[in-house]
Amino acid sequence: MHSCEGEMVIDATIEKIPYFNAPIYKENKTQIGKVEEIMGPIHKYMFSMKTSDGVKAESFSKGDQVYINPQKLLPLERFTQPSAPRGGGGGRGRG
């Protein structure tokens, strides 16, 4: 976890990918911010967190843990395995 221009950059330790704007919590379930951007390689990604009002990014240090709701995570397969092509009507028009 690193502070950068009032935001935090967090090294992810989970395989699933967070939604944009997913809330981030401390251990006591207090919301401290939201996911802003996701960056880095797919298997070792990081994300930036925009802090909530009254929360200073500098108050956290490297090694601190933050938490995210498991319902706000997407499986890695959604990004690594392309989905099957969807039918587009097959060219059957009127006429």
Side-chain angles (χ1 to χ4, degrees), residues 15 17 42-43 75-86:
E15 278 195 26
I17 311 296
I42 195 80
H43 294 288
L76 186 62
E77 293 81 32
R78 182 157 183 184
F79 301 96
T80 58
Q81 297 175 355
S83 60
R86 298 179 185 185

Side-chain angles (χ1 to χ4, degrees), residues 48-69:
S48 65
M49 181 186 83
K50 185 164 186 73
T51 57
S52 299
D53 293 337
V55 177
K56 294 195 182 281
E58 295 82 25
S59 65
F60 296 91
S61 60
K62 188 173 183 174
D64 287 350
Q65 290 188 345
V66 295
Y67 302 88
I68 189 166
N69 182 344

Side-chain angles (χ1 to χ4, degrees), residues 6-95:
E7 294 188 3
M8 292 178 10
V9 178
I10 301 168
D11 292 324
T13 58
I14 53 175
E15 278 195 26
K16 293 187 175 183
I17 311 296
Y19 285 31
F20 289 105
N21 294 321
I24 305 293
Y25 303 94
K26 292 195 305 185
E27 188 173 6
N28 65 1
K29 299 182 184 175
T30 303
Q31 184 175 337
I32 56 172
K34 292 185 175 186
V35 173
E36 184 75 13
E37 294 183 51
I38 300 169
M39 61 203 98
I42 195 80
H43 294 288
K44 182 142 176 59
Y45 69 93
M46 298 177 282
F47 59 92
S48 65
M49 181 186 83
K50 185 164 186 73
T51 57
S52 299
D53 293 337
V55 177
K56 294 195 182 281
E58 295 82 25
S59 65
F60 296 91
S61 60
K62 188 173 183 174
D64 287 350
Q65 290 188 345
V66 295
Y67 302 88
I68 189 166
N69 182 344
Q71 294 179 344
K72 296 291 183 177
L73 298 172
L74 294 168
L76 186 62
E77 293 81 32
R78 182 157 183 184
F79 301 96
T80 58
Q81 297 175 355
S83 60
R86 298 179 185 185
R92 296 173 295 214
R94 293 180 75 190

